[in-house]
Amino acid sequence: MPDARFQPLPGFRDFAPADCAVRNYLFNAWKRVAHRYGFLEWEGPTVEATELYLKKSGGELPTQLFRFTDQGDRDITIRPELTASLGRIAAAYQREYTKPLKWFEIGSCFRYEKPQKGRLREFYQFNADILGEGSAWADSELIALAIDCMRELGFTQNDFIVRVSDREAWIRFAAEHGVQEQDIPAFLGIVDKFERDRPEECQRKLDSFHISRGDLVAFIENPPAGASERYDILLKDLEARGLDGYVRLDLSVVRGLAYYTGLVFEIFDTQRSLRAVAGGGRYDTLVGALSNNAVDMPATGFAMGDAVITHLIDQTPHAKALKDAALAAAGCDVFMVQASENRRAEMLSIASALRDQGYSVDLPLTLTKINGQLQKAVKSGARAALIVGDEFPALELRDLHARSSSTVAMENLFDALASLTGRD
């Protein structure tokens, strides 16, 4: 029984090998799609100056920081999100790369908030961003990437929806209703919680702006013509890709961070059983703000966290089946079975030769009965078992998936394994 004093802190996780396998399944899917779209991987530090997050984040984020003073008396924060670091790095390195910059990162983030389903204090995020391009075509490229990430994980059009909105429409709404420019971020914060707050709580917040909740409902349910000038371009572009069925205009989406400037979007499961799976949007002024306006770089990006998407995979049968099949295929290629006390040297020699050829190979570290070794091979997810016994140089090769076996001469081993594992 583990000592309760040494369990992970609330909102933090251990990753045993099975958990790492699931995490890596996500990471690999994200990377495959990002590479197909021509995105380059970047990496930033886990710790940044706190000012970086206070400058443009807004919303609840400043209250959720893991913030402390280091031994150099610096005010620093363990990163709560990746976009601020990206903006800083892009401003510093943008002259070295052809624009637009299509960059992605997968990294851990930390927020001090109440742990709950789909929300942890340490989590992994996949961030994808396009910097240096202000057109709606960049927005559609990014949203197409987000959709294909979901499809790569086994989700269909019946499983999720991309809800697209436009902050510019809300800024116009606020101006028409007398909201002062400096108060617009606070107003947008109210809209962002429109669906989560009780109606009376929402109205209490709106009272200071002399706006009724009914005005918000009417604007959301009946978007005026031109509420989203870029949305039509976005939709036509996604239609040409065959992806328009995954999106719909929904002005209730605002996003909480203050740096968003244009089109924003969130991905939800169609049953609305979980919080947003992913979200992002256009942030045309952030890079300039982080470089004292020395760099003018419009940008758009999104983030997808591992906690929510893992829950959604496990509650969606076809997505879970795809994940389980991928994990089942992730075992080693060959498990060596030592069937004779006198053949360990030969077994080790074969194992080394196979590893030199790129095969993943596991082997016994204690001599046990053959059946016990074979059971371990099956449990490990190995594709094949290679039995080395007194009949050497004749070997027994077992296909653990097909549950068949054959005798293979040593000189034919590589051809036989290539045929069994599907290698060229």
Side-chain angles (χ1 to χ4, degrees), residues 142-164:
L142 190 82
I143 291 177
L145 168 66
I147 293 170
D148 277 344
C149 283
M150 297 294 289
R151 291 170 44 172
E152 186 78 4
L153 294 168
F155 298 108
T156 70
Q157 190 172 325
N158 294 326
D159 300 319
F160 70 96
I161 187 71
V162 183
R163 301 163 64 196
V164 182

Side-chain angles (χ1 to χ4, degrees), residues 44 374 424:
L374 288 171
D424 294 332

Side-chain angles (χ1 to χ4, degrees), residues 193-270:
K193 294 185 176 180
F194 171 79
E195 292 185 322
R196 286 170 283 168
D197 282 343
R198 296 189 305 273
E200 57 272 21
E201 176 66 12
C202 177
Q203 185 58 62
R204 184 188 64 77
K205 294 178 180 179
L206 288 170
D207 284 343
S208 61
F209 296 105
H210 306 290
I211 297 174
S212 75
R213 185 177 181 278
D215 292 334
L216 300 189
V217 173
F219 189 72
I220 292 169
E221 293 182 350
N222 301 286
S228 182
E229 295 87 349
R230 300 169 68 92
Y231 182 75
D232 288 341
I233 300 173
L234 169 76
L235 198 61
K236 288 177 182 177
D237 215 41
L238 291 174
E239 183 179 5
R241 302 169 189 254
L243 300 177
D244 55 304
Y246 291 90
V247 303
R248 65 179 170 87
L249 180 65
D250 186 343
L251 292 181
S252 67
V253 173
V254 176
R255 306 287 292 155
L257 296 174
Y259 53 63
Y260 289 118
T261 59
L263 287 181
V264 292
F265 68 94
E266 293 180 340
I267 299 178
F268 284 89
D269 66 288
T270 52

Side-chain angles (χ1 to χ4, degrees), residues 23-37:
R23 185 189 65 185
N24 292 339
Y25 168 73
L26 282 178
F27 288 9
N28 292 335
W30 289 335
K31 288 184 177 183
R32 284 195 303 271
V33 179
H35 286 308
R36 288 205 296 263
Y37 273 70

